[in-house]
């Protein structure tokens, strides 16, 4: 389908963006959609102090070459797997820092009031999206490093190819589904993908090849032939599943709340939002006082 996903008219987006859906999106992100200052302040504090600190530790502090100096305490994973984890963390340290900085900035700006409920909902959704991207970013060193260290380059490449397919399919499926709802029926060919039967065959073949290489051919290095590698060696696939979950959770909500903010006044009128729902209790009281004063002045 050729129509741009971000150029739908108010009439088109109005077909799928009901008041019930809007409040479901608000529920999904919790206090990030709240118009109350204290709720946003508490939510921002949790995002910054808890997840911000944890992600900085796992994604940035872990990218330190000094951890490679003493490997005597490595028991349950191979030394090669641990080295691959630390080196991957070092390689993407700049990327993780940039994503972490954006996340922290958005978590801080969440405190400040927005123009209305639509703008608050959209900004809160973007904040949660940045949280999801940061989570996927800090998982890269561990998942990729453990896969490379556990199964070597053969297992890593095969899993990476399948992970790319999973992520691409999830994104394409989300786009096609939303376009279908916005603009009508989509092209059947564009929605076609690998059938479940074929996908299962591909997965089984990949597992067989990895296992044969792990214990028989041993192509590439490092390879960890211990039983633990059969547990942590699937890190890239686990990471791809996490990315797919994030895409499925946030894609439709992000696009929908973007339109909600773009056509905010139209939605406010058509969906009959009260001043309290739209601006919050405090601003609604001020508007009510202004309106009552205006009415009294007009009668005098």
């Amino acid at each position: 389908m050729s129509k741009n996903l971000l150029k739908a008219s108010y009439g088109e987006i109005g077909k799928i963006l009901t008041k019930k859906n809007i409040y479901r999106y608000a529920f999904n992100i919790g206090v990030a959609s709240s118009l109350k200052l204290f709720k946003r302040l508490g939510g921002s504090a949790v995002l910054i102090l808890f997840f911000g600190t944890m992600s900085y530790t796992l994604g940035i502090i872990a990218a330190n070459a000094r951890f490679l100096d003493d490997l005597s305490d490595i028991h349950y994973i191979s030394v090669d797997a641990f080295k691959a984890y630390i080196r991957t963390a070092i390689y993407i340290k700049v990327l993780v820092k940039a994503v972490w900085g954006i996340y922290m900035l958005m978590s801080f700006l969440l405190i400040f009031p927005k123009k209305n409920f639509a703008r608050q909902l959209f900004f809160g959704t973007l904040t949660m999206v940045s949280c999801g991207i940061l989570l996927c970013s800090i998982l890269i060193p561990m998942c990729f490093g453990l896969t490379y260290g556990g199964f070597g380059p053969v297992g890593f490449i095969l899993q990476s190819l399948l992970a790319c397919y999973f992520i691409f399919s999830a994104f394409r499926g989300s786009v096609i589904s939303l376009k279908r709802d916005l603009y009508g029926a989509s092209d059947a060919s564009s929605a076609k993908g690998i059938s479940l039967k074929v996908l299962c065959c591909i997965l089984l073949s990949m597992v067989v090849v990895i296992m044969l290489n792990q214990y028989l051919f041993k192509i590439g290095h490092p390879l960890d032939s211990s039983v633990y590698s059969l547990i942590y060696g699937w890190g890239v696939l686990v990471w791809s599943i996490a990315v797919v979950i994030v895409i499925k959770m946030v894609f439709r909500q992000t696009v929908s709340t973007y339109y909600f903010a773009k056509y905010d006044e139209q939605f406010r009128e058509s969906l009959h939002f009260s001043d309290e729902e739209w601006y919050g209790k405090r601003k609604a009281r001020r508007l009510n006082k202004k309106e009552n004063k205006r009415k009294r002045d007009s009668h005098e």
Side-chain angles (χ1 to χ4, degrees):
M1 182 170 291
S2 58
K3 277 199 172 186
N4 192 313
L5 193 59
L6 296 180
K7 291 185 178 180
S9 66
Y10 168 71
E12 289 168 328
I13 190 64
K15 292 184 297 185
I16 65 170
L17 195 55
T18 63
K19 198 170 186 178
K20 180 181 178 181
N21 286 337
I22 289 169
Y23 276 114
R24 178 166 56 84
Y25 293 146
F27 176 80
N28 290 343
I29 62 174
V31 296
S33 66
S34 178
L35 296 173
K36 295 180 179 180
L37 174 61
F38 288 111
K39 284 189 176 181
R40 294 197 311 274
L41 187 62
S44 180
V46 171
L47 290 173
I48 292 173
L49 297 178
F50 176 70
F51 189 68
T53 303
M54 182 188 71
S55 58
Y56 187 87
T57 302
L58 295 177
I60 299 175
I61 295 180
N64 197 323
R66 68 181 177 83
F67 290 116
L68 297 174
D69 295 337
D70 184 12
L71 302 176
S72 59
D73 291 332
I74 307 300
H75 301 294
Y76 297 105
I77 64 174
S78 69
V79 170
D80 289 320
F82 184 76
K83 286 181 178 179
Y85 161 50
I86 297 299
R87 285 169 181 161
T88 306
I90 293 172
Y91 292 151
I92 68 165
K93 185 176 181 179
V94 174
L95 171 65
V96 175
K97 274 187 175 181
V99 176
W100 183 83
I102 293 171
Y103 164 78
M104 293 294 283
L105 177 62
M106 297 197 70
S107 297
F108 174 72
L109 294 177
L110 187 66
I111 300 172
F112 300 97
K114 310 304 180 291
K115 182 180 178 181
N116 52 45
F117 174 58
R119 305 293 176 89
Q120 181 65 51
L121 181 59
F122 180 52
F123 189 87
T125 298
L126 290 181
T127 303
M128 293 301 103
V129 170
S130 69
C131 181
I133 294 174
L134 178 59
L135 176 62
C136 293
S137 299
I138 63 177
L139 286 176
I140 290 176
M142 181 180 297
C143 294
F144 283 46
L146 293 182
T147 294
Y148 190 88
F151 288 152
V154 173
F156 180 82
I157 292 171
L158 289 175
Q159 288 189 48
S160 296
L161 291 174
L162 198 58
C164 289
Y165 171 76
F166 284 157
I167 295 170
F168 174 76
S169 296
F171 184 78
R172 186 187 65 169
S174 298
V175 171
I176 291 173
S177 174
L178 188 52
K179 280 188 174 183
R180 185 188 301 117
D181 292 341
L182 285 174
Y183 307 124
S186 61
D187 298 332
S189 59
S190 65
K192 224 174 180 182
I194 297 178
S195 66
L196 181 60
K197 183 178 180 180
V198 174
L199 183 60
C200 289
C201 290
I202 293 174
L203 276 169
L204 181 60
S205 300
M206 184 193 73
V207 171
V208 170
V209 171
I210 290 176
M211 291 298 98
L212 287 174
N213 187 66
Q214 182 78 345
Y215 296 106
L216 184 61
F217 302 116
K218 296 185 179 294
I219 299 172
H221 184 80
L223 287 174
D224 180 6
S225 59
S226 71
V227 68
Y228 296 114
S229 67
L230 300 180
I231 299 174
Y232 66 74
W234 307 100
V236 172
L237 284 184
V238 172
W239 177 81
S240 69
I241 292 172
V243 175
V244 167
I245 291 173
V246 170
I247 292 173
K248 294 293 186 181
M249 288 177 61
V250 306
F251 182 82
R252 179 176 285 259
Q253 175 162 341
T254 303
V255 177
S256 298
T257 54
Y258 160 76
Y259 279 117
F260 185 41
K262 181 179 180 180
Y263 300 118
D264 52 356
E265 290 304 320
Q266 291 98 316
F267 277 113
R268 183 193 176 192
E269 293 179 9
S270 64
L271 299 180
H272 309 292
F273 282 94
S274 65
D275 285 344
E276 185 174 320
E277 291 175 312
W278 198 246
Y279 297 114
K281 289 183 178 180
R282 183 175 297 181
K283 189 173 181 179
R285 283 197 296 266
R286 291 202 304 267
L287 291 174
N288 188 45
K289 287 180 181 179
K290 283 184 179 180
E291 181 64 19
N292 291 336
K293 185 176 182 300
R294 186 188 65 80
K295 288 180 180 179
R296 287 197 302 269
D297 292 342
S298 64
H299 287 359
E300 291 177 357

